[in-house]
Amino acid sequence: MGLFTELKDSISRVTDRLFSEQEPKRIGIYGPPNAGKTTLANRIARDWTGDAVGAESRIPHETRRARRKENVEIERNGKTVTIDIVDTPGVTTKVDYEEFTDEMDEDDAIRRSREATEGVAEAMHWLREDVDGVVYVLDSAEDPITQVNTMLIGIIESRDLPVLIFANKIDLDESSVKRIEDAFPQHTTVPLSAKEGDNMDEVYDKIAEYFG
Amino acid sequence: MPKATNADDSEPSDGVQIDLISGERMDGMATMEKIRMILDGVHDGNIVILEEGLTPDEESRLIEVTMAEISPDEFNGIEIETYPKSDTHDSSLLGRIMGGDQAETKLTVIGPANQIETLHKDETLISALVSRN
């Protein structure tokens, strides 16, 4: 094979890979601790693959390392969208091991906080380098206007990543989806309860629309 | 009442030092230089106030480096508050291409999480309650 033909084939392989519609999109699930990110990741993974992504817990930082579920095929309106779900640790600017000492002994609490800090650092790095789109999960029973949420949404916007905001926990009495819509009016907000499975049809419609 | 001290003063003090850093001083600095300056100040127990804030990319790296430096009983992270974006900021794609990823004019307050008891913000005021432990 001549040098020119070889070069042309090589360029063609690269462009095919870059523009392939078959290549799964890596969708990062981001948000503050305890917003329900892993519950949502598990719900999506179970609905479409039968397997869960990771353990869920009421203790903050249950997810300390990013976990990926690859090749999740979501079918909407006769079209299949393939995504890799990346469930990330809750992003925060502080981690104090003493927060965990009520639930476990000091050594375990220190280990948990170390893993949490490594996981958050990794999640921030991935946000800059390794995701094609973001699902930003918020607890709709909590005030969404926090510095971490504002910073993270700003970081996502600065990278021009497609983002959907999921207002989770609508099954709770204190839930207010409007509070989230008002806080981030520039983005589409989808209400849901990942725990109860409420409104998941709209969740999948929007994932297909935004990331397909 | 907290007492501001000279940044070069090496004498121990029971006050809280507040470093107000001008936009001009930050202008010529690389991202990691800015982050190092902020975190060195916070590690010393200082409150760092940036006249012009950080870009989103710098904020992302600040969180990443902060996480790497958290250590039990020594440093458990930062509290940070920033005023919202200016309405006049050009956030269009063209604006970002032409203007780069520059910080908007905004004021940011950063301090050690174990010393800032509350850091509250409303539309016109950032209020910090700082302990001297």
Side-chain angles (χ1 to χ4, degrees):
Chain A
M1 187 184 289
L3 183 64
F4 179 73
T5 313
E6 209 170 320
L7 184 65
K8 202 173 113 188
D9 279 359
S10 170
I11 291 169
S12 173
R13 276 198 301 275
V14 170
T15 51
D16 281 354
R17 188 166 175 276
L18 279 175
F19 300 109
S20 169
E21 288 190 3
Q22 303 305 316
E23 195 78 17
K25 301 275 175 54
R26 284 156 301 187
I27 306 304
I29 302 184
Y30 281 83
N34 276 2
K37 297 180 293 301
T38 302
T39 306
L40 174 66
N42 283 342
R43 168 75 60 183
I44 297 171
R46 283 198 189 106
D47 280 355
W48 299 98
T49 72
D51 297 325
V53 172
E56 301 160 24
S57 163
R58 63 185 172 78
I59 307 173
H61 301 294
E62 179 63 32
T63 304
R64 268 111 52 208
R65 302 313 291 254
R67 287 180 289 224
R68 187 178 293 213
K69 185 77 181 169
E70 295 185 333
N71 295 313
V72 177
E73 291 186 356
I74 296 174
E75 282 182 36
R76 301 315 283 173
N77 306 318
K79 191 180 160 197
T80 301
V81 176
T82 306
I83 58 172
D84 291 348
I85 299 169
V86 184
D87 179 29
T88 69
V91 174
T92 179
T93 58
K94 57 187 175 184
V95 177
D96 184 353
Y97 80 93
E98 289 184 358
E99 284 175 38
F100 312 125
T101 50
D102 288 346
E103 311 277 350
M104 59 196 74
D105 67 36
E106 189 171 307
D107 286 347
D108 285 341
I110 289 172
R111 189 178 314 115
R112 191 180 186 92
S113 71
R114 279 214 179 97
E115 289 170 357
T117 57
E118 287 168 14
V120 174
E122 188 179 61
M124 295 311 295
H125 184 77
W126 284 20
L127 187 55
R128 291 198 307 272
E129 309 285 341
D130 200 41
V131 293
D132 300 311
V134 172
V135 161
Y136 198 83
V137 182
L138 289 165
D139 179 342
S140 60
E142 299 283 334
D143 181 1
I145 305 176
T146 67
Q147 182 65 20
V148 168
N149 289 337
T150 307
M151 275 197 319
L152 271 176
I153 297 284
I155 292 164
I156 293 161
E157 287 171 350
S158 76
R159 309 208 71 78
D160 288 320
L161 290 169
V163 57
L164 275 172
I165 294 183
F166 283 1
N168 193 22
K169 307 192 186 183
I170 57 169
D171 53 303
L172 299 180
D173 290 342
E174 318 86 86
S175 166
S176 169
V177 176
K178 187 173 184 307
R179 196 164 43 184
I180 293 176
E181 288 170 338
D182 290 347
F184 302 106
Q186 71 274 38
H187 297 294
T188 299
T189 296
V190 184
L192 78 148
S193 167
K195 183 179 163 194
E196 303 297 332
D198 296 340
N199 205 35
M200 293 307 292
D201 275 339
E202 189 184 352
V203 165
Y204 296 132
D205 284 346
K206 290 293 182 191
I207 286 176
E209 183 184 334
Y210 273 66
F211 308 126
Chain B
M1 184 175 159
K3 172 179 73 172
T5 59
N6 188 314
D8 297 327
D9 189 356
S10 56
E11 290 292 313
S13 163
D14 63 352
V16 175
Q17 181 170 312
I18 299 171
D19 297 334
L20 298 114
I21 300 171
S22 70
E24 190 182 4
R25 179 161 179 175
M26 300 277 278
D27 271 351
M29 298 173 91
T31 296
M32 289 311 293
E33 281 180 285
K34 293 180 191 176
I35 288 169
R36 197 62 272 146
M37 180 180 66
I38 293 164
L39 288 179
D40 284 350
V42 172
H43 276 295
D44 288 343
N46 304 345
I47 305 298
V48 179
I49 300 178
L50 309 176
E51 184 189 23
E52 290 188 1
L54 297 168
T55 65
D57 191 66
E58 288 165 349
E59 287 174 341
S60 160
R61 286 173 196 273
L62 176 65
I63 297 172
E64 194 176 335
V65 178
T66 299
M67 289 295 120
E69 298 188 0
I70 286 178
S71 173
D73 292 328
E74 287 174 22
F75 175 61
N76 59 14
I78 59 172
E79 291 281 1
I80 178 168
E81 272 298 354
T82 301
Y83 280 120
K85 288 181 178 181
S86 158
D87 289 341
T88 57
H89 174 66
D90 182 358
S91 63
S92 68
L93 179 61
L94 184 62
R96 278 201 292 274
I97 291 167
M98 298 302 284
D101 194 20
Q102 293 171 344
E104 303 140 42
T105 301
K106 58 185 181 182
L107 187 136
T108 297
V109 180
I110 305 156
N114 67 335
Q115 273 178 260
I116 294 194
E117 293 180 18
T118 60
L119 189 52
H120 169 76
K121 178 184 72 174
D122 66 24
E123 285 182 11
T124 55
L125 174 79
I126 294 175
S127 179
L129 176 59
V130 184
S131 69
R132 302 183 199 178
N133 60 353

